[in-house]
Amino acid sequence: MTVVFVHGVPDTPFMWQPLISSLGLSQSEYFAPALPGFGCDIPSGFSCTKEAYTDWLITQLEQAVQASGGPIDIVGHDWGALLTLRACSLRPDLIRSFAVANALIDREYSGHRMARTWATPVLGEVSMFLSSFMDMKQSLIDAGMPKEIADHDVSYFDKRMRSSIVKLYRSAAGLNFRGSWVDDLKNLPECGMVLWGEHDPFVGMDVAERFHKMWGFPLHILRDTGHWGLIEKSDETAAQLKALWARAS
C-alpha cells in the first residue's frame, strides 16, 4: 500500500509524525511531500495559487501511483484537504480512497477571519509582517496543535512561507469556492470519509455536516479536539483510516 499525506497551512510534513506512528507505517508505505514554500524551495515560475498547488499535487500522486503500481490512499488536512478534494475530483483514477480533515470545499463557507485578512491586498502582507513566531506558535497551540508540532513547524514560518500563504488565500478569495471546484465534487471516488475535530475554531461543524449530507461520505467526529484533531487523537484516527482502507481493498 501507499499512503500520501498532504499537510495544510501553516504546517510542514512533520505534523504527520504522530499519525504515521499510530498507523505503524514504514517509510516505504507512505509519502508526505512538503507544499512548495512550506519548509522547502519554491520552483521557478510557481505561482502559489490554488490551481498551481493542485497541479503540483496531481503530479505527486501520479508519481506515487507509478511507484506503487496502482491507485493510492490519500489523507489531507486543512488546505491539504481542499487540495486533496480538488485533485481527487479531477483524477479519481489515481485514488483508491481519500480522507480529509477540518477543511472542505463548500459553496456556503466564506472563510475564517484570518483567511479573509490574508486574502486582502496590503492588509494580508501587513498582517504577515506583524506576525511574530511566538504569536503564531501560541495561536496554533490554542487551536489544537500539539506543542511539539508547533515548536517544529513555527520555525519554518519564514518570509517564503508567509508569501506563499498570502498568494494561496488570495487565489481562493479567502476560502470562497465556486464553479468547478464545487461542481466537480460529483467526480470524487466512492471510497472516502471526513474526519473532524469537534471544536475547530476556524471551520464549524455545520460545514462538515453539510458536506456529509450533500455528498454522502461518512463523517467521524473526533470529540474534544480542535483543528488538528486527527493528530491530537492519532490512535482513534488511525483506527478510522484502517477501516476505510479495508473497505477500499
Side-chain angles (χ1 to χ4, degrees):
M1 67 178 296
T2 298
V3 185
V4 175
F5 295 97
V6 191
H7 70 84
V9 174
D11 300 320
T12 73
F14 185 77
M15 69 157 283
W16 294 113
Q17 289 307 306
L19 181 55
I20 289 169
S21 178
S22 291
L23 287 165
L25 296 176
S26 66
Q27 283 193 322
S28 64
E29 293 178 310
Y30 74 90
F31 178 44
L35 273 63
F38 290 74
C40 64
D41 291 336
I42 300 173
S44 177
F46 190 81
S47 62
C48 295
T49 62
K50 67 184 192 298
E51 288 79 16
Y53 280 110
T54 298
D55 291 343
W56 166 85
L57 178 55
I58 289 174
T59 298
Q60 305 302 307
L61 296 178
E62 289 174 336
Q63 293 173 353
V65 167
Q66 184 175 12
S68 67
I72 53 88
D73 302 299
I74 185 170
V75 182
H77 172 258
D78 187 83
W79 256 106
L82 301 173
L83 296 172
T84 290
L85 289 173
R86 183 57 175 159
C88 288
S89 69
L90 293 175
R91 293 296 307 275
D93 57 300
L94 302 174
I95 307 300
R96 191 178 77 133
S97 76
F98 72 90
V100 289
N102 288 87
L104 293 164
I105 296 172
D106 182 278
R107 196 189 304 272
E108 297 182 36
Y109 180 64
S110 59
H112 52 82
R113 181 183 60 82
M114 190 56 67
R116 296 193 297 271
T117 297
W118 287 336
T120 304
V122 181
L123 183 59
E125 284 79 1
V126 171
S127 172
M128 281 296 185
F129 178 77
L130 295 175
S131 296
S132 70
F133 287 99
M134 292 306 297
D135 287 343
M136 177 56 70
K137 177 181 174 180
Q138 191 57 52
S139 67
L140 295 176
I141 293 172
D142 290 345
M145 179 181 279
K147 182 179 182 300
E148 62 273 18
I149 306 295
D151 286 339
H152 177 277
D153 281 5
V154 77
S155 66
Y156 291 93
F157 188 60
D158 56 9
K159 181 179 180 180
R160 178 176 54 192
M161 185 188 286
R162 295 176 196 223
S163 175
S164 301
I165 291 171
V166 167
K167 291 175 182 177
L168 176 57
Y169 276 92
R170 198 157 292 166
S171 73
L175 286 169
N176 282 277
F177 293 101
R178 301 290 187 273
S180 63
W181 276 66
V182 175
D183 297 339
D184 289 345
L185 292 174
K186 66 181 182 297
N187 301 323
L188 286 172
E190 292 184 3
C191 194
M193 74 173 303
V194 177
L195 297 153
W196 209 262
E198 182 180 19
H199 302 302
D200 189 331
F202 305 122
V203 193
M205 185 74 71
D206 59 310
V207 175
E209 292 172 342
R210 185 162 53 243
F211 190 91
H212 166 65
K213 182 177 181 180
M214 179 173 295
W215 301 107
F217 294 104
L219 168 62
H220 180 77
I221 300 170
L222 296 157
R223 300 292 181 186
D224 299 318
T225 66
H227 187 65
W228 284 269
L230 80 172
I231 55 174
E232 287 183 80
K233 291 192 173 182
S234 61
D235 287 347
E236 182 177 341
T237 300
Q240 290 295 317
L241 290 175
K242 288 178 179 180
L244 174 69
W245 299 337
R247 293 197 299 273
S249 297

